[in-house]
Every structure is written in C-alpha cells, then in structure tokens.
Amino acid sequence: MKIKDVRVTPIAVKDPPLLNASGIHEPYTLRSIIEVEGDDGTIGLSETYGDLPVLSLLQKVGPELIGMNAWSLNDLRGRVNAQLNDVRTSNAGAELAPGSHPSKQAANAYSAFEVALFDLQARCIGVPLVDLLGGAARDTVPFSAYLFFKYAEHVDSPYAPDRWGEALTVEQIVGQAREMIGRYGFKSIKLKAGVLEPDIEAECIIALKKAFPDHMLRIDPNAAWKLDTAVRIYEKIKNDLEYYEDPTPGLEGMAELYRQTGIPLATNMVVTDFDEFRRSVALNSVQIVLSDHHYWGGLRSTLVLASMCETFGIGISMHSNSHLGISLTAMAHVAAACPNLSYACDTHYPWQEEDNEVIVGGKVPIVDGCVRIQDKPGLGVELDRDRLAKQHEAYNSIDIRSRDDGAQMKKYDPEWELIKPRY
Ligand code: GKR
Ligand code: MG
C-alpha cells in the first residue's frame, strides 16, 4: 500500500497546575496528532509532542512520505533523516522531559510516523497493533496512580479550576491518592517529588504507605536532590519503596547512590538512548529503565530496549508526559508486547479532562488500574474530527508554543530560580 496523504494537527489540551523540579505545568499541554492515509483510504493514527521544534519537523517530513510504501519502515527512517539539518548526538543528560531535548528530534519524528504506520498496517490486515510487535504477552497493562503536588488553579485563572484541588500537604497528597485510586483502581503509586522540602516529601511516602499498605510506591524528585540528601531520605523511606526514581543527577551520581544504598534505581533522565544505556551498564547506574516510545525511537526500538534490559538483568518500566488516548493506547500495545515489562507504567492520563480527548467515545477506560488491549484492528481507537477541530482551535487561540515550566513558575513567583539539584 502506498501513502496517499499525511496530516499533522497541533492541538492544545488543558493541563492542571502540576508542580515539579523544573517549575509548574502551563495551562495547556501541546500535542501533535498524526494521520497517515493509505491509498485505499485506511488511516493510521499517532500522537506525540506538540512543541514547535517537534511539530515543525513533523510538518516537514509529512509531505515527503507521500507515495512511500506504507510497510517500509526503513524507507521511513531514511526520509526522516533526510529532513534533519543538524543531527545532534545524545546527552539529554538531566532533562526532566527528555523528549523535548533537541538531541531527540530524529527519534521523536521517526517514532511519531512509525506508530501511525504500524496502526495503518494493522488496520489493513485486521489485527490489533500488538500482533505486529510479536503478540500480546498480557491482555491488560497496569498503570500507576501518578500523584503531583499542585496548586488549586493556574495563575491568572485562564479557565475554571480543575476538580482535583490543591495538593501541598501530606494530607492533601493522601487525599489525591484516594481519589485517583478510587476512580481508576491503580495498584501502584508514584509521587512526583523535587518540589517541597525532601523531608515533607518523605512524610508523604510514609503516609501513603500507611494508607495503602498493599500498593507499590515510587518517588521521583527528577534529580532535585544532592547525593547526600538522596541517601538521607532513602534511610527514611527505604522499606516503603518499590524503586527510587531519579533522586539525584547524573550516571555517576546514581551509580554512587546505588553503591551506598543498594536500592533499585529507576530513570527516565540519565538513560534516554542506547549510548547512555551502555554507559549506565558500565557504571551500574540504574537497575530499571523507564522506556518511552515517543523519544526512544518508536515501538520497535522499545522492544530492542526491552531485550537489552533482559540481557543485562535490568528491569523495564514506562515513563509518561502529559498525553491523550492515542498515546495511551500505543503505550499499552508496546507494553503488552514486552514480556519483561513487569512494573505498572506511568501515565498522566487521569490529569486530562474528558472533554479534551480527541478520540471517538471520549477517554480510554482505565479499569482496576489497567488498560485492556482491545480485540480491534490497529490501536483500536478512532479519531473524532469534531473533537480534534475543537482542540486545534484551542491551540490556535493560545500563544504557548513550547513547554516551559520554569517560565510559568516565574509568573507565580518572579524570584523563583531553576536550581539543580535544589536540595
Ligand atoms: O509532567 O511534570 C511532569 C513530569 O515531571 C514529567 O515532565 C517527567 O518527564 O513524568 C516525568 C518523569 O517521570 O520524570
Ligand atoms: Mg521520572
């Protein structure tokens, strides 16, 4: 089948004021929705970042795919590479959101179109996308309750406050967990940290463990803690954690932390490509890699990462940024195809509002903490054109064009500075 048309639509999706080590989420997160249409009219879907550098490259590559054989992923790679002006090598280093780093442009763009091509191929032959990845090792994919410290509403009130309310205290975080677990049935909990004093964040973990003794817990300060702080906080929460995610910066820092504590360390910051993977293995920096097909170069690369993890005795889990249902289903299909992905994956999906979803029927259900792989062709979701048009209109009505949590934080507190590690 030949590709007849490619459409890349930028959208803006309401995002709550979630706090992290780099600042705070802006009122909208940007996503790109990709449609690749075959010459028989079948459409493959994909979703990725909507930040301007990513979007510009997607819009540049799109027309170059017209006429291409929709089964040729090698051809796709060549056509993506031909549009890169400046192929930078790795070293996203301590990026909180590695997908936004310029070094990831080739991997991001290839991944965005690869997912759409897999969706198209699977639809053509009438099988779920996971079947093209080797078949499902599991029918349901577990996700975790991803908790955030947050304000009750955005600065300057661009729209009505979200339904989650403020979360700046231990009690409020436990309340947020109760609500999220009550609504979605998650069995694991992840706390985004690096925001308040580390001891308060440790108190949150202790309180969460008390409230949910059977749940697996993780804390992720996004490298906001110095090594000695990470060791000190580890002593307080060591019995409560499933893994310790990016507490301290750098491959060397993580390796030293592991030497001192022996607790499994997870990352989406220091191992973001295969070169960093190699260096991490040499140093024994991390014991669990958080995959993310959006910036690891697609679904097949994620499977390669999973095999590498297996080879080196490293665990694999999954990272998330703010996203909608097309991304969620792609994450679920690739997670279902990795037999050794044994942890509940991260997802920001509960933070996105129902009426901002762009797929038919609204949000993808999460039941008992899991997304079920549907017995439907491709990703199993359809684009709702009215919903898409509405979110594209939202994109046109705002002036955010690239994520900047630090600049957003300065609107609340002009004195605020990005300091890493802060504590
Ligand atoms: O959305 O604020 C956020 C997260 O902190 C995100 O940017 C991170 O990339 O979820 C991510 C993580 O696990 O580090
Ligand atoms: Mg993380």
Side-chain angles (χ1 to χ4, degrees), residues 96 146 190 192 220 222 245-246 267-269 290 319 346:
L96 177 140
Y146 196 165
K190 162 167 170 166
K192 173 58 53 178
D220 176 13
N222 281 117
E245 182 175 333
D246 284 313
T267 191
N268 60 275
M269 297 180 78
L290 303 184
H319 162 264
D346 290 355

Side-chain angles (χ1 to χ4, degrees), residues 2 20 163-164 177 212 233 242 252 285-286 322 328 355 376:
K2 295 262 189 282
N20 60 39
R163 63 186 176 188
W164 296 93
F212 303 95
I233 297 298
E242 180 182 28
E252 284 78 12
S285 301
V286 307
S322 305
L328 181 68
D355 69 351
K376 290 181 181 166

Side-chain angles (χ1 to χ4, degrees), residues 218-373:
R218 304 110 184 233
I219 187 166
D220 176 13
N222 281 117
W225 297 348
K226 293 175 189 139
L227 180 61
D228 56 352
T229 306
V231 174
R232 188 174 65 73
I233 297 298
Y234 153 81
E235 288 297 338
K236 291 191 160 193
I237 55 178
K238 60 184 172 193
N239 297 325
D240 302 329
L241 290 183
E242 180 182 28
Y243 56 68
Y244 207 12
E245 182 175 333
D246 284 313
T248 202
L251 285 167
E252 284 78 12
M254 292 282 272
E256 182 55 30
L257 179 61
Y258 184 65
R259 260 195 299 279
Q260 292 190 28
T261 63
I263 188 170
L265 301 179
T267 191
N268 60 275
M269 297 180 78
V270 294
V271 179
T272 66
D273 60 29
F274 289 102
D275 183 48
E276 289 169 346
F277 183 97
R278 178 183 60 75
R279 286 152 54 205
S280 175
V281 167
L283 291 165
N284 198 12
S285 301
V286 307
Q287 290 66 46
I288 296 132
V289 174
L290 303 184
S291 64
D292 183 330
H293 73 269
H294 300 91
Y295 66 81
W296 270 93
L299 304 178
R300 284 195 310 169
S301 276
T302 305
L303 297 184
V304 172
L305 173 63
S307 315
M308 300 269 286
C309 285
E310 193 167 21
T311 305
F312 289 96
I314 290 174
I316 181 163
S317 185
M318 191 176 281
H319 162 264
S320 149
N321 283 125
S322 305
H323 64 87
L324 289 178
I326 300 174
S327 274
L328 181 68
T329 50
M331 289 157 72
H333 278 253
V334 72
C338 292
N340 56 325
L341 198 155
S342 54
Y343 299 95
C345 303
D346 290 355
T347 179
H348 285 59
Y349 200 50
W351 295 107
Q352 266 48 75
E353 288 183 13
E354 165 67 32
D355 69 351
N356 278 209
E357 183 52 275
V358 296
I359 56 180
V360 171
K363 287 186 82 171
V364 174
I366 299 180
V367 179
D368 293 334
C370 295
V371 171
R372 176 166 289 282
I373 303 296

